[in-house]
Amino acid sequence: MIDLYFAPTPNGWKPAILLEELGVDYTLKFLNLTKGEQFSDAFRAINPNAKMPAIVDHTAEGGPQAVWESGAILMYLARKFDRFWPTGGARIDWDVTQWMLWQTGNQGPMMGQLSHFANYAPEEHRGYGFKRYKGESERALAVLERRLEDRRFIMGEDYSIVDMQCFPWVFLSKRLGAPLDPFPHVAEWRERIKARPAVKRAIDLGKTASHHGENASNNRVLFNQSADHILRESGE
Ligand SMILES: N[C@@H](CCC(=O)N[C@@H](CS)C(=O)NCC(=O)O)C(=O)O
Protein backbone atom coordinates (compact mmCIF):
# COMPACT_ATOMS: atom_id res chain seq x y z
CA MET A 1 0.00 0.00 0.00
CA ILE A 2 1.12 3.56 -0.68
CA ASP A 3 0.34 6.46 1.66
CA LEU A 4 -0.14 9.84 -0.04
CA TYR A 5 0.31 12.89 2.20
CA PHE A 6 -1.93 15.40 0.51
CA ALA A 7 -3.62 18.76 0.58
CA PRO A 8 -5.75 20.04 -2.30
CA THR A 9 -3.26 22.31 -4.05
CA PRO A 10 -1.54 22.08 -7.46
CA ASN A 11 1.45 20.28 -5.92
CA GLY A 12 -0.84 17.84 -4.12
CA TRP A 13 -2.81 17.13 -7.30
CA LYS A 14 0.27 15.94 -9.23
CA PRO A 15 0.83 12.59 -7.45
CA ALA A 16 -2.93 12.20 -6.91
CA ILE A 17 -3.40 12.40 -10.69
CA LEU A 18 -0.73 9.77 -11.31
CA LEU A 19 -2.05 7.39 -8.63
CA GLU A 20 -5.56 7.76 -10.09
CA GLU A 21 -4.23 7.18 -13.62
CA LEU A 22 -2.38 4.07 -12.43
CA GLY A 23 -5.47 2.77 -10.64
CA VAL A 24 -3.40 1.49 -7.74
CA ASP A 25 -4.60 1.33 -4.15
CA TYR A 26 -3.41 4.17 -1.98
CA THR A 27 -4.30 5.68 1.35
CA LEU A 28 -4.97 9.39 1.39
CA LYS A 29 -3.49 11.16 4.41
CA PHE A 30 -4.86 14.69 4.49
CA LEU A 31 -2.58 17.33 5.97
CA ASN A 32 -4.22 20.50 7.24
CA LEU A 33 -1.56 23.05 6.30
CA THR A 34 -3.14 26.01 8.07
CA LYS A 35 -3.04 24.05 11.31
CA GLY A 36 0.66 23.31 10.72
CA GLU A 37 0.28 19.53 10.49
CA GLN A 38 3.23 19.54 8.06
CA PHE A 39 5.51 20.43 11.00
CA SER A 40 4.71 17.39 13.14
CA ASP A 41 7.70 15.25 14.04
CA ALA A 42 6.06 12.31 12.29
CA PHE A 43 5.69 14.17 8.99
CA ARG A 44 9.14 15.77 9.15
CA ALA A 45 10.59 12.28 9.51
CA ILE A 46 9.04 11.61 6.08
CA ASN A 47 9.85 14.98 4.50
CA PRO A 48 12.54 17.12 6.16
CA ASN A 49 11.31 20.05 4.04
CA ALA A 50 7.92 19.92 5.87
CA LYS A 51 5.81 20.34 2.75
CA MET A 52 3.34 18.09 1.06
CA PRO A 53 3.10 16.08 -1.15
CA ALA A 54 5.01 13.04 0.04
CA ILE A 55 4.44 9.33 -0.23
CA VAL A 56 5.46 6.31 1.78
CA ASP A 57 5.59 3.16 -0.29
CA HIS A 58 5.09 0.27 2.11
CA THR A 59 5.58 -2.24 -0.69
CA ALA A 60 9.09 -1.10 -1.64
CA GLU A 61 11.84 -3.67 -1.68
CA GLY A 62 13.85 -3.51 1.51
CA GLY A 63 11.16 -1.77 3.57
CA PRO A 64 9.04 1.41 3.49
CA GLN A 65 10.35 4.05 1.11
CA ALA A 66 9.52 7.74 1.64
CA VAL A 67 9.61 10.02 -1.40
CA TRP A 68 8.98 13.78 -1.36
CA GLU A 69 9.03 16.61 -3.93
CA SER A 70 6.16 16.14 -6.37
CA GLY A 71 8.47 15.62 -9.38
CA ALA A 72 10.49 12.94 -7.60
CA ILE A 73 7.26 11.18 -6.56
CA LEU A 74 6.03 11.11 -10.16
CA MET A 75 9.38 9.78 -11.38
CA TYR A 76 9.47 7.14 -8.64
CA LEU A 77 5.95 5.88 -9.34
CA ALA A 78 6.38 5.94 -13.12
CA ARG A 79 9.50 3.77 -12.74
CA LYS A 80 7.90 1.48 -10.16
CA PHE A 81 4.83 0.74 -12.28
CA ASP A 82 6.62 1.16 -15.61
CA ARG A 83 3.99 3.53 -17.00
CA PHE A 84 3.75 7.17 -18.12
CA TRP A 85 7.53 7.51 -18.59
CA PRO A 86 8.02 7.60 -22.37
CA THR A 87 10.29 4.85 -23.61
CA GLY A 88 13.13 5.28 -26.10
CA GLY A 89 16.45 5.23 -24.30
CA ALA A 90 18.79 7.66 -22.65
CA ARG A 91 17.92 10.71 -24.76
CA ILE A 92 14.24 10.44 -23.89
CA ASP A 93 15.10 9.80 -20.23
CA TRP A 94 17.09 13.02 -20.10
CA ASP A 95 14.37 14.93 -21.93
CA VAL A 96 11.84 13.75 -19.34
CA THR A 97 14.25 14.66 -16.53
CA GLN A 98 14.94 18.15 -17.80
CA TRP A 99 11.24 18.98 -18.28
CA MET A 100 10.49 17.68 -14.78
CA LEU A 101 13.26 19.89 -13.39
CA TRP A 102 12.16 22.82 -15.56
CA GLN A 103 8.73 22.64 -13.98
CA THR A 104 10.20 22.32 -10.48
CA GLY A 105 12.62 25.21 -10.86
CA ASN A 106 10.68 27.51 -13.19
CA GLN A 107 6.96 27.14 -13.84
CA GLY A 108 6.14 25.83 -10.34
CA PRO A 109 7.78 28.48 -8.17
CA MET A 110 6.82 31.36 -10.49
CA MET A 111 3.14 30.39 -10.59
CA GLY A 112 3.22 29.56 -6.88
CA GLN A 113 4.42 33.09 -6.16
CA LEU A 114 1.83 34.48 -8.60
CA SER A 115 -0.79 32.67 -6.54
CA HIS A 116 0.60 34.23 -3.37
CA PHE A 117 0.44 37.76 -4.76
CA ALA A 118 -2.91 37.21 -6.50
CA ASN A 119 -4.64 35.61 -3.52
CA TYR A 120 -2.90 36.33 -0.25
CA ALA A 121 -0.47 39.27 -0.24
CA PRO A 122 -1.69 42.34 1.65
CA GLU A 123 -3.10 44.88 -0.83
CA GLU A 124 -0.33 47.44 -0.18
CA HIS A 125 2.37 44.90 -1.12
CA ARG A 126 0.59 43.29 -4.03
CA GLY A 127 1.57 45.43 -7.04
CA TYR A 128 5.25 44.74 -7.66
CA GLY A 129 5.12 41.03 -6.79
CA PHE A 130 2.00 40.42 -8.85
CA LYS A 131 3.49 42.14 -11.91
CA ARG A 132 6.81 40.33 -11.62
CA TYR A 133 5.32 36.84 -11.16
CA LYS A 134 2.63 37.36 -13.79
CA GLY A 135 5.43 38.17 -16.26
CA GLU A 136 7.48 35.16 -15.16
CA SER A 137 4.42 32.89 -15.29
CA GLU A 138 3.60 34.08 -18.80
CA ARG A 139 7.20 33.45 -19.78
CA ALA A 140 6.84 29.84 -18.57
CA LEU A 141 3.52 29.50 -20.42
CA ALA A 142 5.26 30.73 -23.57
CA VAL A 143 7.89 27.99 -23.21
CA LEU A 144 5.07 25.43 -23.06
CA GLU A 145 3.30 27.12 -25.99
CA ARG A 146 6.36 26.66 -28.23
CA ARG A 147 6.77 23.06 -27.09
CA LEU A 148 3.12 22.21 -27.77
CA GLU A 149 2.94 23.85 -31.21
CA ASP A 150 3.64 20.52 -32.90
CA ARG A 151 2.89 18.00 -30.11
CA ARG A 152 -0.30 16.79 -28.45
CA PHE A 153 1.55 16.34 -25.16
CA ILE A 154 4.81 17.74 -23.81
CA MET A 155 6.80 14.61 -24.66
CA GLY A 156 5.09 14.00 -28.00
CA GLU A 157 2.02 11.94 -28.86
CA ASP A 158 1.75 10.21 -25.49
CA TYR A 159 0.49 11.63 -22.21
CA SER A 160 3.21 11.30 -19.54
CA ILE A 161 4.34 12.32 -16.07
CA VAL A 162 5.66 15.57 -17.59
CA ASP A 163 2.08 16.58 -18.45
CA MET A 164 0.93 15.63 -14.95
CA GLN A 165 3.73 17.74 -13.49
CA CYS A 166 2.99 20.84 -15.60
CA PHE A 167 -0.84 20.71 -15.73
CA PRO A 168 -1.98 21.76 -12.24
CA TRP A 169 -0.68 25.35 -12.28
CA VAL A 170 -1.91 25.79 -15.87
CA PHE A 171 -5.31 24.51 -14.73
CA LEU A 172 -5.50 27.52 -12.35
CA SER A 173 -3.77 30.04 -14.61
CA LYS A 174 -6.78 32.21 -15.51
CA ARG A 175 -7.93 32.32 -11.90
CA LEU A 176 -4.47 33.60 -10.92
CA GLY A 177 -4.62 36.47 -13.41
CA ALA A 178 -2.75 34.88 -16.32
CA PRO A 179 -5.44 33.85 -18.86
CA LEU A 180 -4.42 31.50 -21.66
CA ASP A 181 -5.69 33.56 -24.64
CA PRO A 182 -2.12 34.25 -25.90
CA PHE A 183 -1.28 30.53 -25.56
CA PRO A 184 -3.80 28.60 -27.71
CA HIS A 185 -1.81 25.34 -27.81
CA VAL A 186 -1.46 25.36 -24.04
CA ALA A 187 -5.21 26.03 -23.74
CA GLU A 188 -6.04 23.01 -25.95
CA TRP A 189 -3.59 20.80 -24.05
CA ARG A 190 -5.17 21.93 -20.77
CA GLU A 191 -8.64 20.91 -22.03
CA ARG A 192 -7.31 17.54 -23.18
CA ILE A 193 -5.90 16.77 -19.75
CA LYS A 194 -8.75 18.28 -17.76
CA ALA A 195 -11.19 15.95 -19.53
CA ARG A 196 -9.44 12.81 -18.24
CA PRO A 197 -11.51 11.00 -15.58
CA ALA A 198 -8.43 10.35 -13.41
CA VAL A 199 -7.60 14.06 -13.40
CA LYS A 200 -11.16 14.94 -12.39
CA ARG A 201 -11.04 12.39 -9.58
CA ALA A 202 -7.71 13.77 -8.28
CA ILE A 203 -8.98 17.35 -8.27
CA ASP A 204 -12.22 16.26 -6.60
CA LEU A 205 -10.22 14.85 -3.68
CA GLY A 206 -10.01 18.46 -2.52
CA LYS A 207 -13.75 18.65 -2.07
CA THR A 208 -13.60 16.36 0.93
CA ALA A 209 -10.37 17.80 2.34
CA SER A 210 -10.13 20.79 4.63
CA HIS A 211 -8.85 23.54 2.37
CA HIS A 212 -5.59 25.22 3.22
CA GLY A 213 -6.02 28.49 1.40
CA GLU A 214 -9.26 30.21 2.27
CA ASN A 215 -9.03 33.43 4.26
CA ALA A 216 -5.38 32.76 4.81
CA SER A 217 -4.08 36.28 4.16
CA ASN A 218 -3.02 36.61 7.78
CA ASN A 219 -2.06 33.02 8.13
CA ARG A 220 1.07 32.82 10.23
CA VAL A 221 1.71 29.17 9.55
CA LEU A 222 1.88 29.48 5.79
CA PHE A 223 3.18 32.97 5.19
CA ASN A 224 5.49 33.85 8.06
CA GLN A 225 7.83 30.90 8.20
CA SER A 226 11.43 31.01 9.33
CA ALA A 227 14.26 28.59 10.06
CA ASP A 228 12.66 28.04 13.44
CA HIS A 229 9.77 26.15 11.82
CA ILE A 230 12.23 23.52 10.64
CA LEU A 231 14.65 23.51 13.59
CA ARG A 232 12.28 23.45 16.54
CA GLU A 233 10.84 20.33 18.13
CA SER A 234 7.13 20.07 17.40
CA GLY A 235 6.42 18.51 20.77
CA GLU A 236 4.18 15.83 19.27
N1 LIG B 1 8.57 21.84 -4.77
C1 LIG B 1 7.63 21.22 -3.88
C2 LIG B 1 6.64 22.26 -3.41
C3 LIG B 1 5.73 21.72 -2.32
C4 LIG B 1 4.91 22.83 -1.69
O1 LIG B 1 5.21 24.03 -1.86
N2 LIG B 1 3.87 22.45 -0.95
C5 LIG B 1 3.08 23.43 -0.25
C6 LIG B 1 1.63 23.41 -0.69
S1 LIG B 1 1.46 23.66 -2.42
C7 LIG B 1 3.09 23.16 1.24
O2 LIG B 1 3.13 22.03 1.68
N3 LIG B 1 3.06 24.23 2.02
C8 LIG B 1 3.06 24.15 3.44
C9 LIG B 1 4.02 25.13 4.04
O3 LIG B 1 4.67 25.87 3.29
O4 LIG B 1 4.11 25.14 5.26
C10 LIG B 1 6.93 20.07 -4.62
O5 LIG B 1 6.78 20.17 -5.83
O6 LIG B 1 6.56 19.07 -3.98
Side-chain angles (χ1 to χ4, degrees):
M1 187 61 98
I2 292 169
D3 294 336
L4 170 62
Y5 290 84
F6 172 88
T9 77
N11 289 312
W13 291 332
K14 296 173 194 170
I17 289 172
L18 177 54
L19 286 163
E20 289 292 335
E21 294 282 6
L22 290 167
V24 297
D25 275 344
Y26 67 99
T27 305
L28 202 55
K29 306 261 188 188
F30 285 113
L31 284 181
N32 187 323
L33 301 180
T34 50
K35 286 194 179 149
E37 288 177 359
Q38 66 275 35
F39 297 112
S40 72
D41 291 340
F43 185 66
R44 280 188 295 167
I46 293 166
N47 181 357
N49 193 35
K51 288 182 191 278
M52 72 86 229
I55 60 165
V56 177
D57 176 5
H58 295 279
T59 64
E61 243 181 78
Q65 168 82 55
V67 187
W68 47 279
E69 273 295 320
S70 57
I73 299 169
L74 297 197
M75 293 166 97
Y76 174 86
L77 292 173
R79 284 295 191 220
K80 179 180 172 88
F81 293 99
D82 203 14
R83 288 189 62 200
F84 298 113
W85 187 312
T87 51
R91 275 173 198 271
I92 305 278
D93 286 353
W94 284 114
D95 213 16
V96 169
T97 305
Q98 68 199 3
W99 279 101
M100 296 298 281
L101 295 186
W102 172 79
Q103 194 286 333
T104 306
N106 292 266
Q107 187 229 29
M110 294 306 136
M111 297 195 80
Q113 292 302 324
L114 179 63
S115 167
H116 178 82
F117 283 95
N119 295 319
Y120 308 117
E123 191 57 40
E124 67 271 25
H125 297 307
R126 189 166 180 258
Y128 179 83
F130 180 77
K131 190 163 173 287
R132 159 141 177 95
Y133 292 112
K134 179 170 151 64
E136 287 292 324
S137 297
E138 287 172 342
R139 182 192 180 288
L141 290 167
V143 173
L144 284 180
E145 178 68 12
R146 277 265 179 272
R147 180 76 180 176
L148 290 164
E149 267 167 8
D150 54 359
R151 290 173 180 83
R152 273 175 64 74
F153 295 104
I154 297 170
M155 295 309 298
E157 283 312 294
D158 295 328
Y159 172 61
S160 76
I161 50 170
V162 178
D163 301 293
M164 299 178 209
Q165 180 79 357
C166 294
F167 168 78
W169 282 115
V170 176
F171 176 62
L172 295 183
S173 197
K174 184 174 175 188
R175 223 185 291 170
L176 301 180
L180 294 179
D181 310 67
F183 312 110
H185 294 96
V186 175
E188 281 169 28
W189 166 86
R190 176 186 179 278
E191 288 306 308
R192 221 170 275 142
I193 296 175
K194 190 181 142 205
R196 297 181 69 88
V199 172
K200 287 187 183 160
R201 285 197 299 276
I203 289 171
D204 280 351
L205 291 175
K207 294 189 177 149
T208 51
S210 44
H211 201 288
H212 92 279
E214 288 149 14
N215 300 320
S217 57
N218 291 320
N219 192 297
R220 289 177 175 223
V221 175
L222 286 177
F223 305 131
N224 292 296
Q225 293 187 18
S226 66
D228 187 49
H229 281 82
I230 300 295
L231 297 177
R232 73 182 171 208
E233 300 299 318
S234 80
E236 285 185 20

